[in-house]
Amino acid sequence: MSTAQLRRIMALEEHTVVARGDPAQDTVWQADCWQWVCDQVQTIDEATQEIRRWPREKAYLHEVFHALQTERLLAIPKSRRMMLSWCVAVFLTWRARYFPNQLLLVQSATETKAAYLVGERCRFVEDHLAQPQYRRPYASWRTKQGLIGKLRYRRTGSEILSVAQGADIVRSFTFSFLCMDEIEFQQEGAAALVAALPAVEKGAQIVLISTSNGPSGPMARLCADVGFARWTG
């Protein structure tokens, strides 16, 4: 972790778990993210605060998880309420809890916006599994704004970390996974993407997700290159 990042983190919280589930079942879920999602993951409707099981009947979500597990460089244009931010948060949580020594970055226009995905999505997933005995212990750190900006799983040592936009920030980490959240709204998004791309050749994974912000952003240009001319926010 960089010195600048250490300054931004202000408080450590430990989240312990007493009960443990069947290790054989965990082995199945480690091999199949979608199965874990369908069996264990719940989400929350922010409008009603209702906790709901994962909507496994939506076939396109299965396709998204297949792409997340198989593609090292992935761009996903999105419209609102398609649950794509949830997909990425769930995938980050799965990787952190099942695979050792992962540094999983979430980059957004500001650290606060990135921390929302870490604290209100990734942490929620772990804390609200359908079967609580399968929860895993983790530590969390809060930013100076009081939001959860970092999770570290005790069993794997893997971390999910929120960072602000910028090429220099990307270069300061040796990451396993980088989610560039709402890249179309990051003024430094294009430069950060260029800075991040060499990591793919070393085995890292980069995922871009964004709603539309006109025809000139990095995601818009990628979409135009493959003939996908327009999408709505």
Side-chain angles (χ1 to χ4, degrees):
M1 179 185 297
S2 69
T3 302
Q5 185 67 31
L6 280 171
R7 292 195 191 104
R8 288 196 294 269
I9 300 297
M10 62 174 292
L12 166 67
E13 300 172 5
E14 292 284 350
H15 302 259
T16 59
V17 176
V18 176
R20 292 187 61 184
D22 179 8
Q25 182 62 65
D26 258 329
T27 300
V28 172
W29 289 329
Q30 181 177 358
D32 189 342
C33 180
W34 179 248
Q35 189 63 53
W36 176 70
V37 172
C38 293
D39 289 348
Q40 290 296 324
V41 171
Q42 301 185 110
T43 65
I44 186 168
D45 186 306
E46 293 178 342
T48 66
Q49 294 299 298
E50 180 184 359
I51 295 177
R52 299 175 177 176
R53 295 298 297 267
W54 186 262
R56 61 188 303 167
E57 70 279 1
K58 295 183 178 181
Y60 76 89
L61 294 178
H62 190 186
E63 295 177 9
V64 169
F65 276 96
H66 176 74
L68 287 169
Q69 280 198 262
T70 57
E71 302 293 339
R72 285 199 297 170
L73 185 56
L74 180 64
I76 310 176
K78 67 172 185 174
S79 297
R80 302 192 185 279
R81 300 193 66 82
M82 288 186 66
M83 299 191 68
L84 293 178
S85 293
W86 274 106
C87 287
V88 173
V90 169
F91 183 72
L92 286 166
T93 306
W94 174 77
R95 277 189 63 160
R97 73 197 312 273
Y98 283 120
F99 297 93
N101 305 316
Q102 303 276 301
L103 177 56
L104 310 165
L105 299 183
V106 177
Q107 185 177 49
S108 195
T110 65
E111 183 187 29
T112 296
K113 290 182 178 180
Y116 183 86
L117 195 67
V118 175
E120 300 301 318
R121 293 284 188 267
C122 298
R123 184 180 64 151
F124 180 91
V125 169
E126 186 63 49
D127 288 350
H128 294 84
L129 294 182
Q131 294 176 282
Q133 66 268 31
Y134 286 102
R135 287 179 53 201
R136 293 197 171 190
Y138 65 90
S140 65
W141 284 258
R142 291 185 181 271
T143 67
K144 289 182 179 180
Q145 291 72 36
L147 301 173
I148 297 293
K150 174 183 171 182
L151 305 177
R152 178 191 290 157
Y153 278 83
R154 198 177 302 166
R155 196 175 305 179
T156 62
S158 292
E159 299 180 355
I160 307 173
L161 178 64
S162 61
V163 296
Q165 66 175 310
D168 289 343
I169 290 178
V170 169
R171 293 190 191 99
S172 68
F173 294 99
T174 302
F175 60 85
S176 310
F177 179 100
L178 170 63
C179 168
M180 304 186 78
D181 181 45
E182 293 291 2
I183 187 173
E184 294 292 272
F185 296 87
Q186 297 184 35
Q187 292 184 352
E188 301 176 54
L193 178 58
V194 171
L197 284 174
V200 177
E201 299 178 0
K202 301 177 182 179
Q205 183 180 7
I206 299 175
V207 174
L208 319 178
I209 58 172
S210 190
T211 47
S212 176
N213 190 29
S216 61
M219 177 82 82
R221 291 194 292 271
L222 287 171
C223 290
D225 287 344
V226 297
F228 185 47
R230 184 176 181 271
W231 81 98
T232 57

